């Protein structure tokens, strides 16, 4: 399967920069007791998750780090999906950093990483990359990975951290609503069935395709949590989307 890229280049760049900034701002507000709190990802507390996001920012900002992680990740995966090896390497290689250093690194790299990642997506976007997803191999354009998935990844981890520490999740229709709408478009592409979808909250909206079809009403953030595997969905909500 070759997922669609529904975001124009400039729009994807704006979303990446805003999301990086929002995650960095959230990290700067964390207190000493927040970093050790468990997230919805069983292997990660808030500190490990933030180290992963920092690692992904460095992956986007530095060609040297980009090449290093793409080499080290498959070795670390040991038969698991390569992304598991990549994230494991990112967290392990930043284990020595103090909490303030993680937060400072996020603030420093947030704008740089977004710009560099979009440049790389523009240069290499058409190249295919094979990714294991839901137990099967898919062919993704590299631009989809760099311009879409890495922004979704940071967004979902911002949701995770807010849930873990009890912080208010900043949501706006212009930013989060557009990210969610792109997730809806890929979800619809992947399941290919008629549907009527109402997503609630600032990031929500009304979406439909085809005649009749399953009718779904759910909070927009919870919709994404379900599709990412963090919560359970039935029917068409059982069809996941990469984050």
């Amino acid at each position: 399967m070759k997922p669609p890229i529904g975001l124009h280049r400039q729009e994807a760049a704006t979303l990446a920069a805003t999301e990086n900034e929002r995650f960095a701002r959230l990290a700067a507000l964390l207190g000493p007791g927040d970093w050790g709190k468990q997230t919805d990802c069983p292997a990660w507390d808030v500190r490990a998750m933030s180290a992963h996001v920092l690692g992904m920012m460095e992956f986007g900002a530095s060609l040297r780090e980009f090449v290093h992680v793409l080499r080290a990740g498959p070795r670390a995966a040991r038969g698991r999906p390569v992304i598991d090896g990549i994230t494991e390497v990112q967290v392990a290689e930043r284990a020595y950093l103090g909490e303030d250093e993680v937060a400072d690194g996020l603030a420093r790299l947030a704008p740089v990483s977004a710009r560099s990642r979009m440049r790389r997506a523009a240069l290499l976007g058409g190249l295919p990359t094979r990714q294991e997803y839901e137990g099967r191999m898919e062919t993704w354009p590299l631009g989809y990975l760099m311009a879409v998935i890495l922004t979704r990844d940071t967004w979902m981890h911002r949701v995770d951290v807010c849930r873990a520490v009890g912080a208010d999740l900043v949501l706006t229709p212009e930013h989060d609503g557009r990210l969610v709408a792109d997730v809806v478009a890929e979800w619809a592409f992947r399941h290919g069935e008629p549907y009527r979808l109402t997503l609630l909250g600032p990031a929500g909206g009304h979406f439909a395709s085809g005649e009749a079809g399953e009718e779904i009403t759910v909070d927009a953030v919870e919709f994404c949590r379900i599709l990412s595997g963090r919560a359970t969905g039935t029917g068409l909500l059982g069809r996941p989307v990469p984050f």
Side-chain angles (χ1 to χ4, degrees):
M1 177 176 288
K2 183 179 180 180
I5 301 179
L7 300 173
H8 297 298
R9 183 179 301 171
Q10 185 54 53
E11 183 179 27
T14 299
L15 293 172
T18 300
E19 191 51 48
N20 279 5
E21 178 188 1
R22 288 190 181 181
F23 192 96
R25 192 180 304 156
L26 173 62
L29 295 175
L30 295 176
D34 291 330
W35 293 88
K37 291 182 177 178
Q38 181 62 48
T39 71
D40 285 332
C41 295
W44 289 348
D45 60 12
V46 169
R47 193 213 168 281
M49 181 170 282
S50 300
H52 154 64
V53 174
L54 176 60
M56 277 301 184
M57 286 189 187
E58 292 180 353
F59 176 80
S62 164
L63 181 58
R64 180 177 180 178
E65 180 67 12
F66 179 79
V67 173
H68 163 65
V69 170
L70 290 183
R71 288 176 174 170
R75 293 195 297 269
R78 297 182 296 275
R80 297 170 297 162
V82 171
I83 188 61
D84 291 344
I86 287 174
T87 58
E88 185 176 287
V89 167
Q90 289 171 332
V91 173
E93 291 185 345
R94 288 156 187 83
Y96 71 93
L97 294 175
E99 294 161 359
D100 288 346
E101 291 175 300
V102 173
D104 290 346
L106 289 165
R108 174 174 52 83
L109 284 173
V112 177
S113 176
R115 289 194 299 269
S116 297
R117 179 153 58 89
M118 290 306 117
R119 285 197 296 269
R120 199 165 296 145
L123 289 171
L124 306 175
L127 296 178
T129 176
R130 296 281 287 166
Q131 299 288 329
E132 183 178 346
Y133 184 65
E134 291 295 303
R136 64 181 181 183
M137 298 302 295
E138 295 187 354
T139 300
W140 297 355
L142 193 57
Y144 166 77
L145 177 65
M146 300 296 292
V148 176
I149 293 298
L150 295 189
T151 301
R152 283 185 195 168
D153 180 67
T154 305
W155 183 85
M156 183 52 69
H157 289 324
R158 180 162 62 92
V159 173
D160 293 333
V161 171
C162 285
R163 284 172 55 85
V165 305
D168 291 335
L169 177 62
V170 176
L171 296 171
T172 60
E174 298 79 11
H175 175 70
D176 308 271
R178 187 64 190 96
L179 283 172
V180 171
D182 186 59
V183 171
V184 172
E186 182 168 345
W187 169 75
F189 168 79
R190 284 178 175 273
H191 66 64
E193 302 290 337
Y195 67 92
R196 297 288 183 274
L197 175 66
T198 299
L199 297 181
L200 307 175
H206 299 282
F207 308 87
S209 178
E211 296 296 327
E214 186 176 340
E215 295 190 7
I216 302 168
T217 300
V218 64
D219 177 78
V221 174
E222 189 64 14
F223 172 78
C224 292
R225 292 188 67 252
I226 292 170
L227 299 193
S228 73
R230 286 162 170 79
T232 302
T234 59
L236 294 181
L237 289 181
R239 182 60 170 164
V241 169
F243 276 83

